[in-house]
Each structure stands twice: as C-alpha cells, then as structure tokens.
Amino acid sequence: MYDVTVGESFKAVQPWLTNVQEAAGEGIPILLLGNKMDMDGDREVSFREAERLAYENKVMFFEVSAYTAKNVTESLTQLARVLMEQEDRVRDTTVILSAQPIKKKACCK
C-alpha cells in the first residue's frame, strides 16, 4: 500500500515488490493498493502511473480510500477470488487418497 498524496511512498513500492516477489516466488497473488483516493486535490501519484507499475509487475491494483471505504471491499473481494481460483487449480491437480482402515493383527492370543 502506498499513499497517493505522498510520491515518496510510491517510489518505495518497486523495491518492496521486488523483495516480496523474490521471497514469495511465482504464482503468489499480490495486491497493490493506492490509499487516499478521496484526496484528489493533494494527489502526487497518478492512477495511470500506478496502474503501469502494477501491470509491469503482474500484480493486482486498486485505488482505495480507508476514510470513505471506497473500493476497500471490492479490492479484498478480488484478492479472495484470485486465491479461491488458485486453490481450485491446485485442488484439481492434487491426488486424493481415500482413507482405508488398517487391519491390525492381534499381538497376543
């Protein structure tokens, strides 16, 4: 998350993304959020600039307002959808073993 009214917070996103992507590996969904979209008059980071960064790094992107709650639910719902789709794909390739009861031999008669 970065603050759309503070350009320095956006500049810190690229190194952070690089670190997260290296640590998490491929296929891990990442959501980039630009906060304070309600403060358009104080904006230092354009929507297009952030959208381009997200596209180049193959991450999801939303602008949100924690103050007004705009896009907060939508962004998290989208992340949840992606995680559920990913889980479904993994489940489809997983071998499911059926639990067979193990017959135990009596040790003493």
Side-chain angles (χ1 to χ4, degrees):
M1 180 179 285
Y2 68 94
D3 183 336
V4 302
T5 67
V6 180
E8 289 300 312
S9 71
F10 181 71
K11 288 178 186 174
V13 168
Q14 183 60 61
W16 175 84
L17 270 176
T18 301
N19 289 339
V20 169
Q21 288 170 329
E22 286 174 1
E26 285 201 28
I28 302 300
I30 298 173
L31 175 61
L32 174 63
L33 296 175
N35 191 29
K36 297 188 182 177
M37 69 180 291
D38 56 294
M39 299 182 68
D40 222 23
D42 298 326
R43 180 182 285 272
E44 291 184 6
V45 181
S46 74
F47 180 88
R48 288 188 182 201
E49 185 179 8
E51 188 176 47
R52 183 174 43 251
L53 177 70
Y55 177 79
E56 289 170 355
N57 286 278
K58 298 179 178 123
V59 300
M60 293 173 282
F61 168 66
F62 282 86
E63 281 194 345
V64 300
S65 170
Y67 179 71
T68 66
K70 182 161 178 137
N71 280 347
V72 172
T73 300
E74 294 83 354
S75 62
L76 295 177
T77 299
Q78 180 62 28
L79 177 59
R81 276 192 193 108
V82 169
L83 289 169
M84 288 173 63
E85 289 169 5
Q86 191 176 55
E87 180 184 27
D88 289 345
R89 282 193 303 275
V90 169
R91 188 181 307 126
D92 289 344
T93 62
T94 302
V95 175
I96 300 172
L97 302 175
S98 61
Q100 297 285 336
I102 299 172
K103 295 182 181 180
K104 294 182 180 181
K105 294 182 181 178
C107 65
C108 304
K109 287 192 179 188

